[in-house]
Amino acid sequence: MTDPSRATIAELRDLVVSGRMSASEICKAHLGRTRAVDDRVKAYRSVLERQALAEADAVDRARRESRPLGPLAGVPIAVKDVLCTQGTPTTCGSRILENFVPYYDATCVARLREAGAVIIGKTNMDEFAMGSSTENSAFEVTRNPWDLTRVPGGSSGGSAAAVAAGMVPAALGTDTGGSIRQPAALCGVPGLKPTYGRVSRYGLVAFASSLDQAGPFGRTVADVARILQVIAGHDPLDSTSAPEPVPDYLGGLERGIAGLRIGVPKEYFPAGLDAEVHGSVRAALAAAERLGASIDEVSLPHTEYAIPTYYIIATAEASSNLARYDGVRYGLRAAGAPDIAQLFRKTRNAGFGAEVKRRIMLGTYVLSSGYYDAYYLKGQKVRTLIRRDFEDAFRRVDLLITPTTPSAAFRIGEKVDDPLAMYLSDIFTVTINLAGLPGMSIPCGLTRDGLPIGAQIIGPRFGEDVVLRAAAALEGAMQFRDRHPPLPR
Amino acid sequence: MAISTKDVRHIAGLANLEFGEAEIERFTRQLSAILDYVAQLERLKTDAIEPTSHVNAAAHALRDDALRPPATHEQALANAPETDRGYFKVPKVIG
């Protein structure tokens, strides 16, 4: 019998379609797994047990009545708590939205439902997706399934941990500066940030609108491709979603990487890079070469400016986006304010955590009169230089491969008091958001302490098909799929 | 220090946030450290470079101006902390 908590999407759907297992049984198996391990991992903000069982039951009914079944029929999927889900709380990990219940689904969530997926729960995250460890959640700290004393990464730490721990076969996260790829690397699962505009942002509660993008985590690269196939494509409700046609991501997956030109940007392998990370990523490159890809060193000369540029642009956009939380139309309202000016201030003071306030402050400063040109405009100009670095590189190569993170999972509490040190854990991922490119992390090894290491595959705009193809080939070569975190079965 | 406590108080006002003395001191220290780090951008000459505000300049397509059902009054008010006869209710605006 297939163990549903380790099965792929294709296997789960086959079980449902063939009738060997019902969608309800699959849902119950994942709910059972969640009950068994989530008191330790704390990946979920809310488990939607009753609703998920009703959705699974609807899939089973459709099968009995011989109605057509979607590509994700009966597949449980978890959704980061920053994506709106109709009728269920969407907190963004923040006290200010603790009781917020959207009346609509985010487009990517609606598309999952239309494809037959069962939304099984909402996952924990850093408040408003600001953080790299999920320690900034106002509610709970998610733990890394591979070592419960360590962080799962962030901000989509709950989604990555839920997949790694076998609680769900796939999950949605969002990525503004690395928030899918970094936790994917730290939790040892594949995770993809699509090209900016590939997936609709409608219903994704905004952090930095020119950088935010939703994308999937899965147990396998093929599962990530299956989810992307469903959620990608133009949405009239998001004017920044791209009208580009959506290719067949699964169809090209087995084509291998023979003949592909892979660039290795030297700036992503600095002298001080963790030796185990360096060794694992080099091993992935050697595997790519054995499979027939060619490897060339390239240069992305403005890489060192990416973190400062990111923290100007992302905080500027955040300070503007988060101005809407004022205690008037939704969310928390502080009690006892005698006038509206004090209502705004007291509500925001009580509702936002320290990191969110820090970023609002920084963003307000870089946009303020007298500093706009020196910081915000300067940041946008350097963004152009960073974007051009990649355009130049992609004239010579088809893909780039780098480490996803400078080190494996760090300890809970290790970086909470040093914002700059925390920001630097995104040093290899923020550039891709600034340039609007697709990037994927795949597991490529374990440290001696048994912690996962991720390799990042970066493609040209709308090059998800090539990224996934290379990821599938390397997944086959790296033999990581049989490794599982040391949690009880 | 890249910024002073006076700057931080001014910014807090612009951002509709308020802080006690200890927090003002802490934010001044932390924001100064971040701004010192950001200052490395000054090394780059960018006079002739166009700013990138958005990577998808080609998107921004407008949809057809077709009528579709809007949110209902009840939906729009459902999350409001306080309402009165179908309106959002707030404390006094003009003193």
Side-chain angles (χ1 to χ4, degrees):
Chain A
M1 190 65 164
T2 313
D3 175 0
S5 75
R6 286 192 176 163
T8 65
I9 289 178
E11 288 163 353
L12 292 170
R13 187 177 182 278
D14 278 353
L15 289 172
V16 172
V17 172
S18 67
R20 276 177 290 145
M21 206 182 234
S22 68
S24 306
E25 286 170 307
I26 288 170
C27 185
K28 282 177 190 155
H30 284 94
L31 288 169
R33 176 75 182 153
T34 301
R35 271 193 298 273
V37 297
D38 203 38
D39 59 334
R40 268 162 292 175
V41 179
K42 300 182 195 298
Y44 282 104
R45 278 294 308 129
S46 49
V47 177
L48 310 173
E49 178 158 351
R50 202 171 43 85
Q51 190 185 316
L53 287 169
E55 288 172 18
D57 195 52
V59 171
D60 290 331
R61 202 163 348 108
R63 182 184 172 272
R64 281 198 303 276
E65 293 166 4
S66 303
R67 279 182 278 137
L69 297 176
L72 301 175
V75 177
I77 294 183
V79 173
K80 186 180 183 181
D81 213 18
V82 72
L83 292 162
C84 287
T85 43
Q86 183 176 8
T88 55
T90 299
T91 68
C92 298
S94 182
R95 292 277 171 215
I96 214 159
L97 286 176
E98 188 168 4
N99 299 309
F100 176 64
V101 179
Y103 64 84
Y104 61 94
D105 275 332
T107 295
C108 53
V109 173
R111 288 185 179 177
L112 291 179
R113 289 194 208 276
E114 283 159 26
V118 170
I119 308 299
I120 200 165
K122 302 295 294 286
T123 55
N124 195 33
M125 55 184 283
D126 287 300
E127 184 177 5
F128 284 105
M130 297 178 186
S132 310
S133 68
T134 317
E135 290 166 292
N136 291 338
S137 166
F139 304 105
E140 60 190 353
V141 176
T142 300
R143 286 157 192 277
N144 191 313
W146 294 82
D147 178 347
L148 298 173
T149 68
R150 291 177 187 270
V151 302
S155 65
S156 313
S159 288
V163 173
M167 289 187 262
V168 73
L172 291 187
T174 61
D175 189 317
T176 304
S179 282
I180 290 173
R181 292 159 288 155
Q182 187 255 14
L186 270 43
C187 289
V189 296
L192 170 73
K193 182 204 90 76
T195 307
Y196 183 83
R198 180 73 294 182
V199 175
S200 169
R201 290 186 299 112
Y202 180 73
L204 190 183
V205 179
F207 158 18
S209 303
S210 80
L211 305 165
D212 296 342
Q213 185 64 191
F217 297 89
R219 288 184 181 140
T220 65
V221 173
D223 283 0
V224 169
R226 274 171 214 278
I227 305 278
L228 181 65
Q229 197 75 55
V230 168
I231 62 174
H234 182 251
D235 175 10
L237 299 177
D238 173 7
S239 69
T240 64
S241 78
E244 300 284 320
V246 179
D248 177 4
Y249 295 118
L250 271 171
L253 219 50
E254 304 300 327
R255 281 174 56 204
I257 52 173
L260 284 185
R261 297 165 302 169
I262 293 173
V264 180
K266 62 179 181 195
E267 292 82 2
Y268 287 65
F269 295 83
L273 181 63
D274 180 276
E276 290 184 292
V277 170
H278 191 265
S280 278
V281 177
R282 285 285 170 196
L285 287 167
E289 203 162 19
R290 278 197 304 279
L291 294 169
S294 64
I295 311 286
D296 283 301
E297 186 172 279
V298 296
S299 176
L300 301 167
H302 296 94
T303 300
E304 64 179 298
Y305 302 105
I307 291 274
T309 302
Y310 175 80
Y311 278 93
I312 290 173
I313 290 171
T315 60
E317 293 184 13
S319 74
S320 166
N321 276 324
L322 272 60
R324 72 190 62 173
Y325 302 104
D326 55 10
V328 173
R329 290 151 301 158
Y330 39 71
L332 182 80
R333 169 179 290 194
D339 59 48
I340 198 152
Q342 289 193 54
L343 174 77
F344 292 162
R345 250 176 276 140
K346 287 183 187 305
T347 295
R348 291 163 64 78
N349 246 25
F352 291 137
E355 180 61 22
V356 172
K357 287 176 183 166
R358 193 151 43 230
R359 295 203 197 186
I360 290 173
M361 291 287 287
L362 186 58
T364 305
Y365 181 74
V366 301
L367 289 174
S368 66
S369 176
Y371 298 99
Y372 181 93
D373 284 3
Y375 290 106
Y376 187 60
L377 188 63
K378 182 82 182 184
Q380 289 188 319
K381 288 179 167 189
V382 180
R383 186 177 184 181
T384 301
L385 296 173
I386 290 168
R387 191 165 55 87
R388 284 187 194 158
D389 281 356
F390 283 99
E391 286 166 5
D392 291 344
F394 283 121
R395 275 191 271 277
R396 289 182 46 210
V397 297
D398 302 304
L399 293 171
L400 298 166
I401 292 184
T402 75
T404 309
T405 59
S407 68
F410 45 92
R411 288 194 187 282
I412 290 168
E414 192 178 323
K415 299 188 185 186
V416 277
D417 294 326
D418 187 351
L420 209 46
M422 189 72 92
Y423 298 172
L424 289 171
S425 63
D426 293 332
I427 195 159
F428 299 145
T429 49
V430 295
T431 44
I432 283 74
N433 300 76
L434 290 168
L437 304 172
M440 179 163 191
S441 182
I442 57 164
C444 67
L446 290 177
T447 65
R448 278 186 299 276
D449 294 338
L451 300 173
I453 296 168
Q456 178 175 232
I457 307 171
I458 306 159
R461 285 167 55 71
F462 302 105
E464 283 84 353
D465 49 347
V466 192
V467 171
L468 287 162
R469 201 175 121 197
L474 289 175
E475 179 183 53
M478 303 305 289
Q479 304 269 315
F480 192 87
R481 261 220 76 203
D482 302 328
R483 320 293 287 266
H484 298 284
L487 287 170
R489 294 304 304 153
Chain B
M1 293 277 221
I3 53 171
S4 64
T5 52
K6 184 162 165 277
D7 295 327
V8 170
R9 278 196 195 88
H10 172 65
I11 298 299
L14 293 176
N16 270 317
L17 291 167
E18 60 185 6
F19 300 112
E21 278 311 308
E23 274 178 303
I24 293 278
E25 294 285 340
R26 189 160 51 88
F27 272 116
T28 304
R29 207 168 52 245
Q30 289 176 336
L31 293 177
S32 286
I34 296 168
L35 290 169
D36 285 342
Y37 178 73
V38 164
Q40 62 180 290
L41 296 185
E42 289 165 18
R43 293 206 299 266
L44 286 172
K45 246 182 92 70
T46 52
D47 301 346
I49 307 293
E50 284 292 310
T52 296
S53 60
H54 220 279
V55 290
N56 265 11
H60 290 289
L62 299 177
R63 68 169 181 262
D64 289 340
D65 189 17
L67 217 56
R68 52 180 211 111
T72 65
H73 214 101
E74 290 71 28
Q75 286 170 331
L77 289 171
N79 280 289
E82 205 181 348
T83 62
D84 186 5
R85 284 162 284 181
Y87 291 92
F88 297 107
K89 192 176 178 187
V90 295
K92 80 178 169 191
V93 175
I94 300 164

